[in-house]
Amino acid sequence: MVKKDNRTNYAIGTRAAIYARFSCDKQRDESIEDQLYACRKYAEKRGYTITAEYCDRAFSGRSDERPRFLEMIEDAERKGLLSSDSVIIEP
């Protein structure tokens, strides 16, 4: 059973990985940093522990042939979901 904070109803001690991506050369590297910041704040607000961060730059989301995305999947298979309970993305 998952323990929840009575005030927020968020799971306590949840471990999470972050995945960030932008799709074309015309976007800025800051786009990734902005996504990471938003995801970190989301995790912090909920008391989640970040166990890993995966970032793909200039890779389309139409395909899963993205190096860090594939590494995240491999880690999940090998380590049991990255030693995490969830993956955070910024939509």
Side-chain angles (χ1 to χ4, degrees):
M1 177 150 186
V2 175
K3 291 183 183 178
K4 293 196 173 188
D5 183 307
N6 291 333
R7 293 170 289 130
T8 63
N9 205 33
Y10 297 136
I12 297 172
T14 298
R15 300 161 302 160
I18 294 175
Y19 179 73
R21 173 192 70 78
F22 69 79
S23 60
C24 71
D25 295 331
K26 295 176 184 165
Q27 289 179 295
R28 327 172 330 268
D29 250 4
E30 290 83 14
S31 173
I32 292 280
E33 293 308 316
D34 292 346
Q35 290 176 54
L36 291 173
Y37 177 80
C39 291
R40 289 174 188 143
K41 293 304 280 183
Y42 178 92
E44 180 183 338
K45 180 179 178 181
R46 287 156 179 79
Y48 296 174
T49 300
I50 302 301
T51 58
E53 294 180 353
Y54 300 88
C55 303
D56 281 314
R57 290 167 170 78
F59 283 92
S60 171
R62 296 182 114 176
S63 167
D64 62 358
E65 294 298 318
R66 294 169 264 152
R68 297 289 286 163
F69 177 79
L70 292 173
E71 180 182 352
M72 181 178 68
I73 299 302
E74 288 174 12
D75 285 352
E77 292 170 349
R78 186 175 56 241
K79 297 178 185 176
L81 194 53
L82 326 160
S83 301
S84 300
D85 301 313
S86 58
V87 176
I88 300 171
I89 60 165
E90 188 202 35

